[in-house]
Amino acid sequence: MPDVIVVPDATDPNLALAAVVALRRRADRLEIAAVDEAVAQGWTWAAIAEALGVSRQAVHKRHARRVARTRTEGA
């Protein structure tokens, strides 16, 4: 069962801003895992970029070095 994150409304800025930080961290971890899996399945950087709604250059810049390092370490 997936974790459920309760997102507070903005009437309590302390809780709301803490939720923003937690959501960004969770989204970053999910993006990394999904990109790694997409590359493992043979997706192109262009296809990954399209799925993320960013340019190929942006996704390559953010993930290519880590993916290459992961592949080298796993080999």
Side-chain angles (χ1 to χ4, degrees):
M1 174 179 255
D3 293 336
V4 176
I5 297 175
V6 177
V7 180
D9 62 32
T11 58
D12 183 341
N14 192 43
L15 285 177
L17 294 171
V20 168
V21 171
L23 288 167
R24 284 184 179 150
R25 288 178 181 159
R26 173 83 45 107
D28 285 345
R29 288 192 307 268
L30 178 57
E31 181 178 332
I32 288 168
V35 168
D36 287 350
E37 185 59 31
V39 169
Q41 291 183 19
W43 286 39
T44 65
W45 290 114
I48 295 168
E50 184 176 339
L52 289 172
V54 299
S55 71
R56 183 192 60 77
Q57 292 83 359
V59 76
H60 190 267
K61 181 178 180 181
R62 178 168 178 167
H63 296 285
R65 185 175 294 162
R66 185 188 61 359
V67 168
R69 187 174 51 244
T70 301
R71 285 181 150 186
T72 302
E73 291 169 358

